């Protein structure tokens, strides 16, 4: 099924028909205050193994009063829907809309689901991230798996992230290193391979961008006139053959990052811009250390108070396909990438 994110669709606020106060997978007792985030990994070999573990996870949640959500590809969704006997209280999300857009979309969607949880209960999500087809795509979603340990830390969500063992080994390594608990037919256990999210992010290499090794279409080594810079970038982008809305979003992201560099960085602030068919790349750098928070840009810096500023990197992550932060002996930089077909 598909549906809206209303209370009825999620089955939120229901009480378990079994009257149980805990389930064998370790759920919190009904009525406990503000349960936090759980982030489990299931590496499965077959559809039968997936159904035998993920199906009861969702059904036991419904019986205990949790919400239940499937966010997976079509084949896996079919397996899981059968495993829960097509229960209409299990909400099915469109995986393409959730995971093939940008990471802030997924974060915002799951935060919205968490807000609907009944007091003392969680929303359980069986999620199958689409890591994309390129190294840059994979990098964004590998980061996401680590970031949500912090972003959702106090949210009443219980994520069971599923990974077919047929996936490439780097993605299976990500699964092992970004989930505090692992689930198998034997049960739920602490994951000895789990890596602190900040350490994981620091050790994840930023993919190369081939355009950066070619002459830029526009370059400034020391930005002193922000208004003039914006006009020059707009003139250049106005000649690019591409979707007008994406180009405008890219310009706004460049504005935000250049402004951040000027206000918060250390001179000189530099900018390099490349254009290619179906692709825009811009790198803004300065001689400062860059953001110290490894989770920067996955939410407004000042939470819900948008008037307090701190939105630049958060906006850039929503406006561009890929945002990469780098630091070396010469300073720090942010690389923005937008693409289309």
């Amino acid at each position: 099924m598909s549906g809206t994110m209303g209370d009825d669709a999620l089955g939120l606020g229901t009480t378990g028909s079994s009257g149980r106060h805990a389930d064998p997978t370790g759920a919190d007792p009904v009525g406990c205050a503000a349960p936090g985030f759980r982030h489990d990994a299931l590496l499965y070999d077959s559809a039968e193994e997936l159904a035998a573990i993920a199906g009861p996870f969702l059904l036991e949640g419904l019986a205990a009063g949790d919400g239940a959500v499937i966010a997976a590809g079509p084949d896996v969704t079919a397996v899981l829907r059968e495993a829960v006997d097509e229960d209409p209280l299990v909400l099915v999300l469109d995986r393409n809309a959730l995971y093939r857009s940008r990471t802030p979309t997924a974060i915002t969607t799951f935060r919205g689901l968490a807000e609907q949880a009944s007091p003392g209960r969680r929303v359980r999500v069986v999620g199958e991230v689409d890591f994309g087809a390129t190294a840059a795509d994979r990098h964004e979603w590998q980061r996401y798996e680590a970031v949500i340990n912090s972003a959702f830390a106090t949210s009443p969500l219980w994520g069971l992230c599923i990974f077919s063992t047929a996936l490439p080994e780097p993605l299976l390594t990500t699964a092992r290193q970004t989930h505090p608990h692992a689930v198998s037919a034997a049960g739920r256990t602490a994951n000895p391979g789990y890596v602190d999210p900040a350490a994981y992010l620091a050790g994840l290499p930023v993919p190369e961008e081939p355009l950066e090794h070619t002459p830029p279409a526009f370059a400034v080594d020391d930005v002193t006139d922000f208004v003039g810079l914006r006009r020059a970038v707009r003139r250049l982008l106005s000649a690019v053959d591409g979707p007008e809305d994406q180009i405008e979003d890219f310009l706004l992201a460049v504005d935000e990052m250049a402004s951040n560099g000027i206000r918060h960085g250390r001179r000189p602030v530099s900018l390099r811009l490349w254009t290619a068919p179906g692709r825009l790349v811009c790198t803004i750098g300065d001689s400062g250390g860059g953001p110290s928070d490894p989770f920067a840009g996955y939410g407004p810096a000042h939470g819900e108070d948008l008037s307090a500023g701190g939105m630049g990197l958060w906006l850039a992550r929503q406006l561009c396909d890929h945002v990469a932060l780098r630091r070396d002996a010469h300073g720090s930089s942010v690389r923005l990438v937008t693409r289309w077909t």
Side-chain angles (χ1 to χ4, degrees):
M1 62 170 276
S2 61
T4 62
M5 291 189 289
D7 288 354
D8 291 341
L10 276 173
L12 302 179
T14 61
T15 56
S17 58
S18 66
R20 78 182 76 188
H21 286 268
D23 69 48
T25 54
D28 297 310
V30 172
C32 75
F37 183 48
R38 288 185 174 181
H39 192 204
D40 300 347
L42 166 60
L43 277 64
Y44 67 93
D45 295 317
S46 66
E48 292 75 18
E49 181 184 13
L50 173 63
I53 297 172
F57 168 78
L58 293 171
L59 291 175
E60 288 164 357
L62 288 178
D66 286 353
V69 178
I70 297 170
D75 293 342
V76 167
T77 296
V79 169
L80 294 176
R81 288 182 65 189
E82 183 177 354
V84 298
D85 297 323
E86 306 281 344
D87 193 311
L89 293 179
V90 178
L91 175 65
V92 177
L93 298 181
D94 183 344
R95 183 201 194 197
N96 283 339
L98 186 66
Y99 292 126
R100 288 303 294 135
S101 51
R102 293 158 184 165
T103 52
T105 299
I107 291 173
T108 300
T109 297
F110 288 130
R111 280 184 174 148
L113 291 172
E115 290 173 358
Q116 300 179 45
S118 299
R121 303 309 309 161
R122 290 185 175 89
V123 175
R124 300 190 184 204
V125 180
V126 176
E128 181 191 27
V129 167
D130 184 345
F131 287 93
T134 70
D137 290 335
R138 289 191 292 272
H139 182 260
E140 292 287 339
W141 290 101
Q142 286 174 298
R143 287 184 59 84
Y144 166 86
E145 288 284 13
V147 164
I148 59 176
N149 288 297
S150 173
F152 296 153
T154 60
S155 298
L157 291 168
W158 189 342
L160 177 61
C161 297
I162 56 175
F163 301 84
S164 166
T165 52
L167 287 169
E169 184 56 39
L171 299 184
L172 297 180
T173 297
T174 290
R176 298 183 185 103
Q177 293 183 342
T178 58
H179 295 77
H181 288 81
V183 175
S184 68
R188 180 176 185 263
T189 59
N191 175 18
Y194 177 63
V195 176
D196 175 79
Y200 176 83
L201 294 174
L204 191 64
V206 175
E208 288 287 318
E209 170 50 64
L211 277 181
E212 286 189 300
H213 301 293
T214 66
F218 179 76
V220 179
D221 291 324
D222 186 1
V223 177
T224 56
D225 178 3
F226 177 72
V227 174
L229 174 72
R230 189 181 195 283
R231 288 173 178 163
V233 172
R234 177 175 282 280
R235 279 197 303 271
L236 178 65
L237 294 181
S238 67
V240 171
D241 182 16
E244 186 174 330
D245 57 342
Q246 287 185 253
I247 294 173
E248 191 65 30
D249 284 352
F250 186 77
L251 174 62
L252 178 55
V254 171
D255 280 354
E256 289 288 340
M257 292 298 92
S259 175
N260 269 11
I262 293 168
R263 287 184 294 151
H264 305 298
R266 183 181 302 166
R267 292 187 61 184
V269 176
S270 63
L271 184 144
R272 298 283 186 276
L273 176 63
W274 293 263
T275 67
R279 196 172 191 84
L280 295 171
V281 177
C282 185
T283 298
I284 299 104
D286 68 80
S287 59
S292 58
D293 180 2
F295 308 108
Y298 289 96
H302 301 286
E304 298 301 320
D305 183 8
L306 302 186
S307 66
M311 296 195 301
L313 192 53
W314 179 60
L315 284 172
R317 291 197 187 280
Q318 296 175 80
L319 295 168
C320 299
D321 292 317
H322 305 132
V323 176
L325 302 180
R326 295 173 293 187
R327 184 182 301 172
D328 59 26
H330 304 290
S332 62
S333 67
V334 57
R335 183 180 70 203
L336 310 173
V337 179
T338 285
R339 62 188 184 185
W340 58 88
T341 55

